[in-house]
Amino acid sequence: MSALLQVPGYDQERLRSVAERLPCREAQAGTLLSLLGEPQQYSYPSVFIYGHRASGKSHVVDVLMEELELPCVAVSCVECVSMALLFERVLLTFFGPDATSLLPRFPSMSDFVRIYKRQRLQSPAKQTRYIVMEKAELLRDGDANLLPALLRLQELVEDNLTVILLSEIVWDLFRPNTGCFEPLQLHFPDYSKGELQEILSKDKHPSYSAEFYSSYINILLGVFYSVCRDLRELRHLAALNFTKFCEPLTEGKVKETDTHKLWRNIEPHLKKAMQTVYIREVSSLQWEQMQQMEEKESGALRGLSAHTHIELPYYSKFLLIAAYLASYNPARTDKRFFLKHHGKIRKTAKFLKKNEKTSNHLLGPKPFPLDRLLAIFYSVVDSRVAPTASIFSQISSLVTLQLLAQVSHDDQLDAPKYKCCVSLDFICAISRTVNFEIVKYLYDFV
Amino acid sequence: MAGKAKVKEAHQLTGDCITQVQTILRERFCRRRLPAGLESMEAQYKRLLDLLKRTAVDGESNSVLIVGPRGAGKTTLVDSVLKELLDDDRVQKNLLQVHLNGLLQTDDRIALREITMQLHLENVVGDRVFGSFAENLVFLLEALKKGDRSSSRPVLFVLDEFDLFTQHKNQTLLYNLLDVSQSAQAPVAVVGLTCRLDVLELLEKRVKSRFSHRQIHLLSPLGFGQYLERVRAQLSLPDDFPDAPFAAQWSASLQTLCEDQAAQDALRRHFNSSRHFGSLHMLLILCLSRVSLSKPFIGASDLLDASRTILSDSRVNMLHGLSILELCLLIAMKHLNDVYEGEPFNFHMVHNEFKKFLHRKSNSMYSFEQPVIMKAFEHLVQLELIRPVDGSSARTQKDYQLMRLMLDQGQIMEALQKYPQCPTDVRQWAMSAFE
């Protein structure tokens, strides 16, 4: 056993199995355990553990609590939408169902503390009790008194109780403005590349050798490490793409030792995975299906963003195009784009430089009044369109589809202002269907 | 053979000693077990004791506010005063205590219920319905008067987090408590504990006029020598420690620790940032957690490590774990902040800045698709390293939402220095301030 996890007061055998279950996190587990002290000793009222996602925060705490059989309530703040749920869980675990029934219908913190104190007299803590709260950043959104009260809960209930908060966000952003009892802060550092490799190599495939899997992980990290350090995500990607990696082997084309050929085979595949399955463009299931269909090139399947193309009525398309033009073009250029006789804009260097700074495609859409939308609409539609009720209802239905957004809610009828909320790709696809070259009309691209 | 057994036995003994040391000191740091002497607050102690004694013995009504920053020992002061007060037999029989906390009793109804409970009047109140809040309170105090054969028993109200009680509707509870302390016959002492210096400004006029304006300040102008003495007092073992030789060794090691220059520097750093019990306890418990069988005494290196842990910048720690893409985005944001002088930015501007960096470089090592970059950007938002400017995000698109960087230049540069295997061109890009 490593020297890191030698804490007196705990069973050596159990500590050893803890160490086995926590690869690369022994140091942190040891620090945490020595901070908490021996079970019957008092420990600090609140401990705040922060670190990146999937850096083993809850895993370490869970394993310690489970293996060492410490009395503990693990609560995720996502679940505890009301304080009552939290109180119920705590009382149920520590004192059994009798205590829970004492809680009134809408318990306040005061009720909880009173019941806890009364129960504590009957069954005092022989060892430290723990309340572990995951995703503690959500505590800030709830009742303003909840977080400060939890931090000094040990003092309030006068029991050997420690609250452990786990979060991705640093403590500075938690502090209430009148201050509170400061918790002990503990940082869980990220896994280094070597550690990631070590952990990922642990779940090897039974029918292949460990070195083979490890070399696969090496290639995977080579592609993904610069983008993603989330262990969970990497593990998921490793599991998804392993069959593809083994393919040349099962076909008998290469040997296990021929790393270079395997790399040549898998690398473009992994790069494609980054653009599709990593950003959940295609689901994992679709990805697996695509791998089985040999002939079909992966990525040929339409992803989620390809489905954003929606079918609209003819005039709605033009309305949307007009809205896009109104949003992204400055109003002073309307004359030049949409009237027949106009002067030319000279592209001087000064113009181009100014253009770059104030480009609306960087700054985002600008609001425009309804009149301008209609004026542009009549200019881009070739045929004569009567301003019927249907045209106006189409505008409002574009708003409900969230393709347009009404900016100011002050007046529904009199001169409402809108903003266009679609991307350039989307509007290009739309205008292609009606044979309209939108890029010619955009100020940023002339 | 015998010698070996003896060595082993000695070792065993040390193990027990260490467990005991840990138990005693942990109890002191975590539970704030009262130290024997309250150095540097004798005057306040005497004043409060005197005041409470007058209420408990002579039946005089009083109100007082104890003001001091967090971790300055307000609760400790009250607790130790109460302890001494209750040593008196007369007082113990006579005095009733009610402890309220602004964190728990968040409105007056809850507070009143709590008062009823703590005075054991549930059976008297029963199911009877009361009219107003004041009637209820007056009944409670009436009941107190009739409760004992002596004409009246003094009640001590301790209001922790007093400033939170001022946020209750109309400040009814405070008004009534202070009103009773001014007019009614039942002797009442109201002791408020708060960390806000402007607490009197929070009181309504009528409440303020009923308050005695007696304040006890715990703003200790502590010198470094006293601070050092406090560290020693907090770490020293009690006189009744069972293993005398070990205790002697412990105090000797404490002596060397306090005289060590490096340790003193570390303590001075702490002293300069905060000189209250709270932060000191945090430092000491970190040191204490390093005490083990193999290293039975606290050394200067423990103190240095502990102070480094406490003083380390948590944001820089978090930056260390970002991927290189996320770090690049942060650098792009830093450049935008430099060029546009703290104007908020959106995703497209950051992406544009990042693209400019890629253009200047020939090899396209970081050619990522826009959605991948967007994912990295969203991760930064999740970590609250960047924050939306206004809360209403519903109506603007995600990629055009204006953001602000929550880091300063120094933090980014420090993180960049510590970043493992940071590519040189990225580092150079970060260094180049203006294009």
Side-chain angles (χ1 to χ4, degrees), chain B residues 104-118:
Chain B
L104 302 181
Q105 283 78 40
T106 43
D107 67 46
D108 282 347
R109 203 158 292 282
I110 299 173
L112 199 58
R113 206 175 133 74
E114 189 67 29
I115 295 173
T116 324
M117 296 254 185
Q118 290 195 15

Side-chain angles (χ1 to χ4, degrees), chain A residues 34-35 41-42 50 52-53 110 140 145 155 168 178 184 190 226-227 229 278 361-362 364 407, chain B residues 19 23 26 31-32 70 105-106 114 282 314 317-318 320 323-324 346 375 382 384 395 400 419:
Chain A
S34 62
L35 272 180
Q41 287 168 352
Y42 267 87
Y50 67 102
H52 278 278
R53 198 184 313 163
S110 175
R140 298 176 302 173
N145 285 332
E155 182 191 329
E168 278 184 60
T178 46
L184 212 56
D190 49 304
S226 57
V227 176
R229 301 205 168 171
Y278 171 64
H361 281 89
L362 278 188
V407 180
Chain B
T19 310
T23 312
R26 270 173 194 278
R31 293 206 65 198
R32 295 190 329 234
R70 299 237 168 227
Q105 283 78 40
T106 43
E114 189 67 29
M282 201 184 281
S314 48
N317 284 342
M318 285 307 274
H320 185 272
S323 69
I324 189 75
N346 63 29
K375 189 166 172 166
Q382 238 166 30
E384 298 191 16
R395 264 179 282 145
Y400 283 119
Y419 198 79

Side-chain angles (χ1 to χ4, degrees), chain B residues 311-381:
Chain B
L311 294 177
S312 71
D313 189 338
S314 48
R315 281 184 216 232
V316 174
N317 284 342
M318 285 307 274
L319 289 183
H320 185 272
L322 293 178
S323 69
I324 189 75
L325 172 60
E326 285 151 355
L327 198 69
C328 283
L329 291 184
L330 280 181
I331 293 171
M333 289 169 201
K334 181 187 98 97
H335 282 320
L336 282 176
N337 258 353
D338 287 349
V339 175
Y340 297 110
E341 285 160 1
E343 290 287 306
F345 48 82
N346 63 29
F347 169 70
H348 286 281
M349 297 180 198
V350 176
H351 190 191
N352 194 40
E353 195 71 24
F354 184 46
K355 271 195 287 196
K356 274 195 234 160
F357 163 60
L358 294 186
H359 268 299
R360 273 189 288 122
K361 272 180 4 97
S362 49
N363 69 341
S364 54
M365 207 178 93
Y366 315 111
S367 59
F368 302 112
E369 300 268 308
Q370 179 159 329
V372 177
I373 298 177
M374 188 71 198
K375 189 166 172 166
F377 189 78
E378 278 172 355
H379 188 221
L380 292 178
V381 177

Side-chain angles (χ1 to χ4, degrees), chain A residues 184-342:
Chain A
L184 212 56
Q185 292 181 49
L186 199 61
H187 178 231
F188 272 41
D190 49 304
Y191 294 111
S192 69
K193 199 170 181 179
E195 284 172 336
L196 279 177
Q197 167 110 23
E198 187 188 329
I199 296 167
L200 285 170
S201 304
K202 272 193 193 306
D203 37 24
K204 57 182 195 295
H205 201 272
S207 48
Y208 298 97
S209 71
E211 295 83 59
F212 177 67
Y213 194 80
S214 164
S215 70
Y216 163 63
I217 291 299
N218 200 7
I219 294 169
L220 185 91
L221 282 180
V223 174
F224 279 102
Y225 187 66
S226 57
V227 176
C228 172
R229 301 205 168 171
D230 188 342
L231 177 65
R232 225 175 298 166
E233 185 101 47
L234 288 170
R235 206 177 202 170
H236 175 67
L237 287 165
L240 272 184
N241 293 309
F242 188 59
T243 43
K244 182 77 183 175
F245 184 68
C246 299
E247 222 168 53
L249 216 65
T250 44
E251 285 167 6
K253 280 182 193 160
V254 292
K255 281 185 295 206
E256 264 196 28
T257 48
D258 199 351
T259 324
H260 185 68
K261 270 193 182 149
L262 285 168
W263 175 74
R264 281 257 300 273
N265 176 46
I266 195 71
E267 217 231 341
H269 187 73
L270 287 178
K271 284 216 163 127
K272 196 151 279 163
M274 192 196 296
Q275 292 156 24
T276 49
V277 76
Y278 171 64
I279 49 176
R280 307 291 186 271
E281 176 86 25
V282 301
S283 71
S284 313
L285 184 69
Q286 279 176 317
W287 183 251
E288 277 176 339
Q289 281 169 351
M290 267 154 46
Q291 283 175 341
Q292 277 157 15
M293 291 185 290
E294 296 277 333
E295 67 276 14
K296 210 170 182 181
E297 185 60 26
S298 55
L301 203 73
R302 287 202 306 165
L304 260 182
S305 66
H307 287 291
T308 54
H309 172 71
I310 48 173
E311 208 48 60
L312 287 172
Y314 186 69
Y315 287 139
S316 287
K317 283 180 185 171
F318 272 107
L319 280 170
L320 198 60
I321 289 169
Y324 192 85
L325 290 173
S327 254
Y328 285 91
N329 280 353
R332 64 187 160 78
T333 60
D334 280 357
K335 203 170 157 191
R336 177 206 177 273
F337 281 122
F338 304 113
L339 286 184
K340 283 227 173 70
H341 306 290
H342 57 77

Side-chain angles (χ1 to χ4, degrees), chain B residues 222-260:
Chain B
L222 201 63
F224 183 65
Q226 283 168 300
Y227 188 76
L228 213 58
E229 207 44 53
R230 186 182 278 184
V231 171
R232 194 202 301 266
Q234 289 286 328
L235 277 177
S236 60
L237 294 177
D239 298 332
D240 56 348
F241 192 75
D243 192 345
F246 182 82
Q249 273 180 321
W250 178 270
S251 60
S253 78
L254 205 57
Q255 184 65 31
T256 40
L257 178 73
C258 288
E259 280 162 10
D260 189 282

